[in-house]
Amino acid sequence: MESEQPRTNPCWHLVHTHPRQEARAEQNLRNLRIETYVPMYKRKRNNRFTETKVEEIRPLFPSYVFARFKVNDLYHKVRFTRGVRTLVSFDDRPAVVDDDIIALIQSRQDGHKLVTVPLQYSPGDEVAISTGPLQKLTGIFERAMSDGDRVVLLLQAVGYQARIIVNTDCINKVEDPPSTSLEQ
């Protein structure tokens, strides 16, 4: 049988918010004196009108806020807080998020309280260039540049190998084709 500790002691829970209402839900929960955590990260995107790079700060988990509270005392207040859609629950009980998970996310924050997202490419990965004049070419990921925004790729075209530097957001990993099995 599950212990009553998560219901009577403050624990981290995952609050599902209405779309783009993380800040509203967080502020309203803080007004109830509930500890909250909304991990944020910086991403670069192209402005579709000017084609310039724009940096924006976004929630790491869109539509979710971590909140630390006693379920027995504050469940209904949290559940019906403006901006909150529901609490993530299993078997009709709000799910408890382990303190270690919150600590791990917080440990990846930089000096500006933004979570740094590790690069998802490894040396040797095949990648495709998705934008720019080299669009649709494929190459081999070699390494990330020190600024973290650019990468070095090895391209091979018509018997010539070249190293090029492109922005990280211009490439996508090429998925391995499904392997076929001849087992009978």
Side-chain angles (χ1 to χ4, degrees), residues 16-20 22 39 41 58-65:
H16 187 201
T17 69
H18 292 285
R20 294 177 296 284
E22 300 90 358
Y41 78 104
R58 308 271 312 186
L60 187 61
F61 306 108
S63 297
Y64 290 95
V65 172

Side-chain angles (χ1 to χ4, degrees), residues 127-140 151-158 160-167 169-172 174:
V127 295
I129 300 173
S130 58
T131 61
L134 301 175
Q135 185 175 359
K136 297 185 181 176
L137 289 178
T138 59
I140 305 297
V151 295
V152 177
L153 302 180
L154 181 61
L155 290 182
Q156 187 162 7
V158 194
Y160 177 74
Q161 278 190 347
R163 281 185 178 79
I164 62 166
I165 298 172
V166 297
N167 286 335
D169 55 353
C170 293
I171 62 173
N172 295 316
V174 174

